[in-house]
């Protein structure tokens, strides 16, 4: 009898300890983040991200007269990389990186972010971000082919048990529609010159305008429309996961319009400000939302190939990643850190929301530990 009671008591303690352990595990896996916003800026080099205006690029491009007399130099030049990048992205550096988040990828500070696919162009990069894995033999062109591998967006919609509007993707480049989901219709997706409508009358006007005011490129609409549609969706449907894919930076670079690359980044900085101010004004998002910002690939690192990228272009394997949110206390630039990889982003997004991405893809990169 005595023995029985003691065994029973011991059993009771075991249950209490198991419950405590389970609680500890779930508490560490689920932080404060309830919403995740992923933003990509197509083909933005580490050179501009961390150093602003690259003098070597405009020196090579200035055929007549002095570099100092160019509009670009007058607008964006300053003595240090820190001053120069603040001229391009003042809100990002002065507010987000000072008070709310951090950025990896400045190799001069001992932090490297790399892609693991060997192609160094867009579809493979976006697919690596969204599936957590490079598939070099399957994903080897920018053609409109359905992604054969399920993405983190599809995984999160299933795990969160929410409707399709609650996991949404907006992108300027039309091919992204084919990358974000392996089963069409799993999430809300609006890309390229695609109609976007909801109950908001103002967005109906913006929607009409995207077809009238076109970019030079058939497959990429202006980021101005993509951003406004995404913001309208955010206000109207309050998604738990939003992916915003901005594209113009890449196309202006291919066209060797360095002025437009920097202007687009400056506009993007203002979009980040508008987005941040909206999130801070919303009880669903304030202090419960993590923003990850990154790029699909880098570009060449010399004045001769800064506009180019691809498997044989040195420098295009280097990218960067910013993380802004309530679960990471890191601020500003990462220093002297182990290299992180593009294939870790999907698992990091999942972990932020308390899910283990290896359930969907055991071969995906692991969550970026330093962010937790
Ligand atoms: Zn790209």
């Amino acid at each position: 009898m005595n023995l029985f009671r003691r065994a029973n008591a011991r059993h009771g303690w075991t249950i209490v300890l198991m419950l405590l352990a389970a609680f500890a595990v779930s508490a560490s896996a689920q932080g404060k983040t309830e919403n995740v916003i992923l933003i990509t800026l197509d083909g933005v080099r580490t050179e501009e991200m961390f150093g602003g205006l690259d003098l070597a690029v405009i020196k090579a491009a200035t055929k007549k007269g002095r570099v100092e007399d160019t509009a670009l130099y007058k607008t964006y030049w300053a003595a240090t990389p820190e001053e120069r990048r603040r001229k391009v992205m003042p809100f990002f550096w002065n507010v987000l990186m000072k008070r709310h988040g951090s950025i990896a990828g400045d190799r001069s500070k001992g932090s490297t972010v790399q892609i693991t696919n060997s192609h160094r162009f867009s579809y493979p990069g976006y697919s690596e971000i969204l599936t957590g894995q490079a598939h070099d033999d399957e994903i080897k062109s920018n053609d409109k082919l359905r992604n054969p591998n399920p993405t983190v967006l599809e995984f999160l919609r299933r795990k969160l048990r929410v409707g399709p509007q609650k996991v949404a993707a907006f992108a300027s480049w039309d091919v992204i529609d084919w990358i974000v989901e392996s089963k069409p219709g799993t999430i809300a997706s609006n890309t390229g010159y695609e109609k976007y409508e909801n109950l908001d009358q103002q967005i109906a006007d913006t929607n009409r305008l995207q077809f009238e005011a076109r970019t030079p490129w058939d497959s990429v609409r202006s980021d101005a429309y993509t951003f406004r549609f995404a913001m309208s969706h955010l206000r109207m449907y309050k998604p738990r996961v939003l992916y915003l894919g901005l594209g113009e930076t890449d196309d202006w670079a291919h066209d060797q319009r360095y002025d437009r690359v920097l202007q687009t980044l400056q506009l993007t900085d203002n979009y980040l400000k508008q987005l941040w101010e909206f999130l801070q004004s919303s009880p669903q998002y304030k202090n419960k939302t993590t923003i990850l910002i990154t790029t699909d690939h880098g570009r060449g690192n010399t004045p001769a190939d800064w506009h180019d990228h691809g498997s044989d272009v040195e420098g295009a394997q280097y990218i960067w990643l910013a993380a802004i949110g309530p679960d990471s206390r890191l601020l500003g630039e990462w220093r002297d850190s182990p290299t992180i990889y593009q294939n870790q982003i999907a698992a990091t997004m999942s972990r932020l929301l308390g899910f283990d991405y290896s359930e969907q893809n055991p071969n995906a990169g692991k969550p970026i530990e330093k962010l937790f």
Side-chain angles (χ1 to χ4, degrees):
M1 184 66 194
N2 207 355
L3 202 80
F4 173 71
R5 202 185 300 153
R6 210 182 300 152
N8 219 3
R10 207 180 294 140
H11 192 63
W13 274 113
T14 308
I15 289 171
V16 169
L17 286 173
M18 280 169 66
L19 283 171
L20 279 174
F23 179 75
V25 166
S26 72
S28 66
Q30 175 78 66
K32 294 183 183 133
T33 298
E34 294 174 19
N35 317 282
V36 170
I37 297 177
L38 170 69
I39 303 174
T40 53
L41 315 181
D42 199 306
V44 170
R45 302 194 306 169
T46 52
E47 282 84 346
E48 281 72 33
M49 202 61 212
F50 296 106
L53 175 71
D54 183 346
L55 195 58
V57 169
I58 58 164
K59 270 189 177 156
T62 307
K63 303 276 184 260
K64 280 183 279 179
R66 299 178 341 133
V67 166
E68 290 78 7
D69 296 329
T70 61
L72 265 181
Y73 185 95
K74 287 178 185 163
T75 310
Y76 296 112
W77 181 252
T80 67
E82 288 78 14
E83 290 171 86
R84 290 197 297 276
R85 70 195 185 194
R86 280 201 299 267
K87 289 194 167 191
V88 181
M89 301 189 77
F91 178 76
F92 180 83
W93 289 107
N94 293 335
V95 179
L96 293 182
M97 289 301 108
K98 277 210 175 118
R99 292 186 227 142
H100 308 287
S102 67
I103 181 165
D106 187 348
R107 297 190 298 292
S108 73
K109 306 273 166 59
S111 168
T112 299
V113 189
Q114 264 186 263
I115 65 176
T116 73
N117 73 77
S118 65
H119 299 300
R120 305 182 188 172
F121 60 81
S122 294
Y123 195 141
Y126 289 120
S127 185
E128 182 172 340
I129 292 170
L130 293 168
T131 67
Q133 191 183 356
H135 297 92
D136 276 357
D137 300 330
E138 271 179 308
I139 309 288
K140 53 189 175 189
S141 80
N142 279 340
D143 295 345
K144 289 179 179 169
L145 298 171
R146 179 62 52 196
N147 198 336
N149 307 292
T151 67
V152 66
L153 303 174
E154 295 175 295
F155 174 72
L156 291 176
R157 188 192 154 197
R158 192 168 77 240
K159 298 303 280 187
L160 290 166
R161 300 167 192 257
V162 291
Q165 303 296 348
K166 292 283 188 183
V167 178
F170 288 82
S172 298
W173 185 38
D174 59 4
V175 180
I176 289 184
D177 189 49
W178 301 78
I179 309 175
V180 291
E181 53 188 358
S182 60
K183 293 199 175 62
T186 309
I187 64 161
S189 163
N190 182 283
T191 70
Y193 286 99
E194 184 180 346
K195 174 173 87 168
Y196 181 73
E197 287 170 335
N198 57 33
L199 296 173
D200 177 357
Q201 181 53 38
Q202 210 178 332
I203 228 55
D205 295 339
T206 310
N207 175 50
R208 274 194 297 277
L209 203 54
Q210 70 167 322
F211 300 103
E212 295 174 24
R214 289 184 182 249
T215 65
W217 322 291
D218 292 338
S219 62
V220 184
R221 72 179 163 204
S222 167
D223 290 337
Y225 300 105
T226 304
F227 173 70
R228 281 166 177 80
F229 298 152
M231 286 303 294
S232 180
H233 193 92
L234 198 60
R235 287 194 186 91
M236 189 138 312
Y237 296 103
K238 301 277 173 10
R240 300 283 304 278
V241 181
L242 176 72
Y243 168 41
L244 173 63
L246 300 177
E248 276 186 66
T249 39
D250 183 72
D251 297 275
W252 289 124
H254 283 300
D255 290 357
Q256 302 194 40
R257 290 291 304 270
Y258 196 57
D259 54 341
R260 292 289 179 95
V261 171
L262 296 183
Q263 286 161 9
T264 303
L265 272 176
Q266 206 169 18
L267 279 175
T268 300
D269 185 64
N270 187 262
Y271 296 155
L272 293 176
K273 182 168 188 278
Q274 290 178 51
L275 171 67
W276 181 256
E277 284 167 1
F278 168 73
L279 298 177
Q280 295 308 102
S281 74
S282 159
Q284 177 179 330
Y285 291 110
K286 187 178 179 168
N287 302 330
K288 299 173 192 165
T289 303
T290 294
I291 307 173
L292 298 178
I293 316 174
T294 187
T295 185
D296 52 334
H297 52 78
R299 320 187 81 82
N301 56 19
T302 74
D305 64 4
W306 70 271
H307 50 87
D308 198 11
H309 58 90
S311 58
D312 56 349
V313 177
E314 177 54 26
Q317 70 271 41
Y318 295 120
I319 59 168
W320 45 270
L321 173 71
I324 300 132
D327 288 318
S328 175
R329 290 190 182 162
L330 300 173
L331 292 180
E333 280 186 279
W334 292 28
R335 284 165 191 273
D336 304 318
S337 307
T339 298
I340 59 171
Y341 297 94
Q342 189 172 42
N343 67 9
Q344 297 182 269
I345 295 170
T348 302
M349 289 171 67
S350 302
R351 165 97 173 262
L352 283 163
L353 291 168
F355 303 118
D356 177 3
Y357 189 66
S358 68
E359 278 178 35
Q360 170 162 281
N361 184 357
N363 299 318
K366 301 292 171 247
I368 300 162
E369 285 301 331
K370 195 169 161 154
L371 284 177
F372 296 91

